[in-house]
Amino acid sequence: MADDQSPDGRPAGPLSGVSRWLSRTARALGGPAVPDSNYDPGRHGPLVSFDGLDGHEEVDRYWLNAPYAFVSINFDPAADEHRYHVVEPSLDELEADLLNRLFEDVRGPLIYRTDVADDPERALREELRSRLVEYGVDVEPETFYRLYYYLYRSFRGYGRIDPIMHDPRVEDVSCDGAGLPIFVYHEDYTDVETNVTFDADELDDFVVQLAQRSGRHVSVSDPVVSTTLPDGSRIELALGEEVTPRGSAFTIRKYADEPFTPIDLLEYGTFSLEMLVYLWLAIEHNKSLIFAGGTAAGKTTSMNAVSMFVPPRSKVLTIEDTRELSLYHDNWLSAVTRERLDDSDITMYDLLRSALRHRPEYIVVGEVRGEEAITLFQAMNTGHTTFSTMHADSVQTVINRLENEPINVPRPMVQSLDVLCVQVLARSGDERVRRAKTLAEIEGIDQRTGELDYSNAYAWEPTEDRFTDSNSDLLDEIRRERGWSQSELLGELNDRKRFLQYLRREGIDDYRRFTAMVNKYYADSEAVMDRIDAAGVAVED
């Protein structure tokens, strides 16, 4: 960082010698006054304030990192668009100069402290107080915690985008180049421009820091990196102007702290109750699934959610190139690919071949793109239940991608796939929604035409935003496998609908509690249904 700039990007101003003068004065005259109490918004003044944007209507405001930063969502009627305005503590010239000095003087001692990992906030506060005492600076609690915020944001947070990374309603954060506004994908307002920007040098440094934080290396000779942050967020990085002419760029797909459950999919209308019960029976009876869709259609989220229907104690092995899947399952082995500059890469194909030696009952692959698909379908043909995702917007597109370059799965092997779910990110009224467009059953190869046959068990009607169903051969196959009569199958479907409705009514959408309840159903379904009967839960129309 330049000597004339503070960590928040403000110029240090003409007071660059103030801290040195204060330090000399303190040594001559005695002790300073540094607050040793925590910030109390009731006793101290506010750290942030914002009066709104001219010509805009504020439609939402909420904390991102209380009491330091909040967001103000504003609507511009002239442009007919929203603005995502991040509000952080403002610093006067003296505070900005002090922060610039503190940034270097605090970072060194923190590196050598052994207790930083245990309590980084306390360690930073202690070092900040020590430096202020050393300088002989008399500061108010508000100033102390403004300085603390920017130091913590730089050392432990995500710099300029740290407030945005705290926003649970933001799914994606993207920077298209230096001097350009950051854009976010907000769950309520979709793609929104923010007031956050990077200059060129700062952006280059930030991209390098993101790569280092992920344990990867990015350079001019190797300018593109796709990896995962420690919190599980997926990032795509580009350094310099080698491949992105407007300068360094990045996109962060934020990782949800709590993965979605089938109850969440039901609440959001992605699937109907009947479709979830259908997938539950398919998974329990070892049917293989592929979830297809375009970018941000929610295919990985749905696959992760319905994987919570896997029976307890079944051995599950997940394979990903970036960590996204999260299961609450005792017998679960997670594997992630490794990329290096030398010849020691571990690819998804390598992990999939290794997975078969672990004798898993369920293999979940993050996404198939190439040669690993052959091994995946070989696993299907040898009795392993597999789930995976693909980029495709229809059943026929999935089949075409599987059978042609670069995947090249032979058609007789493709017919071992049981269920194909195609999801879309679409508009319903004024909202953008994620919907399961089709649940299709692969029926085999037509003897007359030689083409792969499939039928739609469920389909989404966009004009009415509802799901329709057709006769399912798969459910008949499961009924025969279990030796059920038709009435017994219908009874089982009805019980599982009531079970999911009960969990929805009780608000059991935490993935740990949801999985625990599903496991109870597997262990003693009669006892669980007796409890639901006592609660008076009936199947809703």
Side-chain angles (χ1 to χ4, degrees), residues 233-364:
S233 299
R234 293 170 55 186
I235 57 173
E236 189 73 22
L237 305 174
L239 180 64
E241 300 179 358
E242 296 295 320
V243 293
T244 47
R246 293 194 289 184
S248 296
F250 65 84
T251 297
I252 302 176
R253 175 76 63 85
K254 287 177 61 183
Y255 179 77
D257 293 333
E258 295 288 324
F260 277 32
T261 68
I263 301 302
D264 293 311
L265 301 181
L266 192 60
E267 288 287 348
Y268 283 105
T270 305
F271 291 86
S272 68
L273 190 64
E274 291 77 13
M275 295 165 79
L276 289 174
V277 170
Y278 169 90
L279 289 170
W280 185 358
L281 274 175
I283 289 169
E284 180 186 352
H285 292 87
N286 299 102
K287 307 303 180 185
S288 292
L289 317 174
I290 282 183
F291 291 81
T295 301
K299 49 191 179 294
T300 303
T301 297
S302 294
M303 182 175 71
N304 190 91
V306 301
S307 295
M308 297 175 193
F309 288 131
V310 170
R313 294 176 297 281
S314 298
K315 185 159 189 177
V316 181
L317 200 149
T318 60
I319 298 171
E320 306 168 83
D321 52 8
T322 54
R323 179 75 179 273
E324 289 184 277
L325 301 172
S326 180
L327 303 179
Y328 190 63
H329 194 84
D330 292 334
N331 197 7
W332 168 40
L333 175 61
S334 174
V336 182
T337 61
R338 183 186 70 187
E339 294 184 17
R340 292 189 174 177
L341 296 177
D342 54 22
D343 295 329
S344 61
D345 286 1
I346 298 177
T347 66
M348 198 171 283
Y349 175 65
D350 297 327
L351 290 176
L352 192 51
R353 287 193 306 169
S354 173
L356 299 178
R357 301 188 184 102
H358 288 274
R359 298 183 64 186
E361 187 173 348
Y362 293 85
I363 301 174
V364 185

Side-chain angles (χ1 to χ4, degrees), residues 181-196:
I182 300 290
F183 276 82
V184 299
Y185 186 89
H186 193 283
E187 66 178 26
D188 297 324
Y189 306 103
T190 64
D191 294 293
V192 191
E193 180 182 319
T194 77
N195 62 321
V196 181

Side-chain angles (χ1 to χ4, degrees), residues 14-15 76 78 130 139 146 216 232 296 333 347 366 387 398 433 454 459 532:
L15 302 177
D76 181 357
S130 296
V139 298
R146 288 190 189 104
R216 298 290 301 278
L333 175 61
T347 66
F387 309 151
V398 172
V433 297
Y454 62 89
I532 293 174

Side-chain angles (χ1 to χ4, degrees), residues 427-443:
R427 285 203 173 273
S428 178
D430 295 330
E431 295 182 315
R432 292 181 77 176
V433 297
R434 292 178 172 91
R435 294 289 184 266
K437 178 182 176 183
T438 305
L439 271 180
E441 298 175 357
I442 306 300
E443 297 178 335

Side-chain angles (χ1 to χ4, degrees), residues 108 225 296 308 380 391 403 485 508:
V225 170
M308 297 175 193
M380 286 186 202
H391 275 86
E403 294 183 344
S485 65
I508 301 177

